[in-house]
């Protein structure tokens, strides 16, 4: 699932807009509004004072619903998630899982990583290929 506020942020990137809309249309991802529970809304308002709206919404929801956060913006989420024991995953975690599940080949994974780090608005990834990621994290290819 993806929060509407996050989906809207993703749609601001022309290339990603196509992907997010396809995933939603194919029902691979469900777009949902931020739950209107008082504790979530209060936490969202507090977090928005220092974090972006997408990160704030995800962290507030995950804190009170035990969901997992998928984000590359570890600078904004890591400490909060660790304090509140919220599981979080990165793009590299998903790419690795796609490789392990044989959804993508190693070459496709490396091409995806290359495309992300050389884009007009480059992703801040911790490595340049999947092999490097695996070595950094004690994982096997």
């Amino acid at each position: 699932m993806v929060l509407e506020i996050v989906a809207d942020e993703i749609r601001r990137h022309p290339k990603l807009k196509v992907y997010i809309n396809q995933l939603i249309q194919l029902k691979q991802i469900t777009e949902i509004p931020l739950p209107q529970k008082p504790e979530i809304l209060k936490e969202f308002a507090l977090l928005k004072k220092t974090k972006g709206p997408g990160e704030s919404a995800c962290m507030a929801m995950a804190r009170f619903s035990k969901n997992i956060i998928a984000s590359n913006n570890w600078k904004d989420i890591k400490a909060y998630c660790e304090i509140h024991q919220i599981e979080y995953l990165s793009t590299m975690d998903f790419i690795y899982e796609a490789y392990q599940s044989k959804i993508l080949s190693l070459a496709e994974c490396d091409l995806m990583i290359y495309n992300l780090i050389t884009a007009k608005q480059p992703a801040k990834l911790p490595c340049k290929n999947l092999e490097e990621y695996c070595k950094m994290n004690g994982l096997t290819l």
Side-chain angles (χ1 to χ4, degrees):
M1 85 180 106
V2 64
L3 291 169
E4 288 173 349
I5 194 166
V6 174
D8 289 342
E9 284 184 5
I10 293 169
R11 287 185 183 105
R12 286 190 223 131
H13 300 276
K15 287 183 180 179
L16 297 179
K17 179 180 181 175
V18 173
Y19 293 122
I20 190 76
N21 287 340
Q22 281 180 336
L23 290 170
I24 292 168
Q25 186 177 28
L26 295 170
K27 300 191 186 313
Q28 298 292 314
I29 295 176
T30 304
E31 188 174 2
I32 64 166
L34 184 66
Q36 298 298 295
K37 295 181 178 179
E39 65 274 14
I40 293 175
L41 295 174
K42 181 180 176 184
E43 191 73 4
F44 175 62
L46 284 170
L47 289 165
K48 252 185 20 175
K49 292 177 182 177
T50 58
K51 311 283 186 236
E55 286 80 15
S56 298
C58 289
M59 290 187 293
M61 183 173 162
R63 178 174 179 195
F64 295 103
S65 63
K66 305 301 179 199
N67 286 309
I68 298 170
I69 296 177
S71 175
N72 271 346
N73 193 349
W74 286 24
K75 179 184 70 142
D76 281 353
I77 71 162
K78 187 176 180 180
Y80 181 89
C81 289
E82 289 175 353
I83 289 167
H84 297 289
Q85 299 178 327
I86 298 168
E87 186 177 353
Y88 56 94
L89 301 170
S90 72
T91 298
M92 291 303 302
D93 295 321
F94 284 99
I95 292 172
Y96 178 73
E97 183 59 35
Y99 174 75
Q100 287 296 108
S101 301
K102 300 189 183 335
I103 295 168
L104 296 175
S105 69
L106 181 58
E108 290 169 321
C109 291
D110 287 345
L111 179 60
M112 181 180 288
I113 293 165
Y114 174 81
N115 288 337
L116 287 167
I117 61 178
T118 60
K120 279 186 183 178
Q121 294 182 347
K124 296 175 186 168
L125 301 180
C127 54
K128 295 178 183 170
N129 58 52
L130 192 59
E131 183 178 1
E132 188 180 327
Y133 172 77
C134 289
K135 285 179 184 175
M136 286 173 54
N137 293 282
L139 303 170
T140 57
L141 277 177

